[in-house]
């Protein structure tokens, strides 16, 4: 893998946001009261330009309880050609205007009572920092670079990476 990006923070932020917008299902890691970490798959509703993430959830479940007692989270994005790990702070948001803004037809699959679902809430994750790895060409590109390094005696180039405070 090449050295971490030396791009300006705004360039890294734009790259990270672009990569995050390619994925809908992510793993959200929360801290339990005993200090252990639990991760669960969730669907990202939207990724804002500054990296803020929005999710729909229930405000009466274990996730809401975990976020209330320990709001720090990790959100992991993964695909065949890129990965993003975002550290942030989560909060519950009950604004009906924001629910209306973010609601779409796919959300009905998770909340069959629609916007009237009892306990429906949003989770807003404000990003603190993020790290990304980008491998153009996915597995095929990685394999090509690996074979190239072995044949030429060069160093494996696994794509680019970078990190930034958001």
């Amino acid at each position: 893998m090449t050295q971490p990006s030396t791009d300006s923070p705004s360039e890294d932020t734009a790259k990270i946001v672009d990569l995050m917008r390619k994925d809908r299902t992510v793993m959200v890691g929360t801290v339990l009261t005993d200090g252990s970490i639990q991760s669960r798959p969730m669907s990202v509703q939207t990724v804002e330009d500054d990296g803020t993430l929005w999710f729909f959830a229930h405000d009466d479940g274990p996730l809401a309880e975990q976020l209330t007692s320990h709001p720090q989270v990790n959100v992991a994005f993964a695909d065949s050609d890129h990965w993003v790990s975002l550290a942030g702070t989560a909060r519950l948001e009950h604004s009906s205007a924001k629910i209306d803004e973010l609601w779409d037809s796919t959300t009905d699959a998770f909340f069959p009572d629609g916007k009237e679902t009892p306990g429906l809430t949003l989770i807003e994750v404000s990003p603190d920092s993020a790290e990304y790895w980008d491998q153009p060409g996915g597995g095929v590109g990685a394999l090509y670079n690996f074979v190239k390094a072995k044949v030429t005696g060069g160093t494996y180039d696994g794509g680019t990476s970078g990190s930034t405070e958001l």
Side-chain angles (χ1 to χ4, degrees):
M1 181 129 348
T2 59
Q3 293 297 316
S5 169
T6 57
D7 293 338
S8 71
S10 62
E11 289 173 342
D12 274 336
T13 299
K15 174 72 171 183
I16 288 166
V17 166
D18 179 57
L19 292 173
M20 290 191 303
R21 285 180 172 156
K22 293 179 179 183
D23 300 322
R24 179 85 187 209
T25 303
V26 300
M27 294 297 289
V28 177
T30 57
V31 179
L32 305 178
T33 55
D34 67 1
S36 62
I37 298 171
Q38 179 181 33
S39 294
R40 70 197 39 78
M42 294 190 70
S43 293
V44 178
Q45 201 61 31
T46 194
V47 178
E48 294 181 358
D49 290 342
D50 67 353
T52 298
L53 306 174
W54 290 91
F55 302 88
F56 277 102
H58 294 279
D59 69 1
D60 59 353
L63 174 60
E65 183 180 315
Q66 291 162 12
L67 295 176
T68 300
S69 64
H70 198 292
Q72 284 68 38
V73 297
N74 177 267
V75 183
F77 297 74
D79 202 350
S80 65
D81 66 352
H82 68 270
W83 303 265
V84 174
S85 177
L86 180 134
T89 304
R91 71 177 188 85
L92 302 180
E93 171 62 61
H94 293 90
S95 164
S96 58
K98 192 68 174 176
I99 289 171
D100 286 343
E101 175 189 334
L102 295 178
W103 192 270
D104 65 25
S105 61
T106 62
T107 309
D108 289 330
F110 300 99
F111 302 95
D113 292 332
K115 298 177 203 172
E116 304 307 316
T117 299
L120 180 66
T121 190
L122 288 163
I123 297 171
E124 175 188 23
V125 176
S126 298
D128 297 324
S129 63
E131 192 163 348
Y132 73 90
W133 302 267
D134 190 16
Q135 173 61 66
V140 173
L143 178 61
Y144 170 79
N145 286 328
F146 178 78
V147 170
K148 178 180 165 186
K150 294 296 284 180
V151 169
T152 65
T155 302
Y156 172 71
D157 176 11
T160 60
S161 66
S163 61
T164 190
E165 300 295 314
L166 295 167

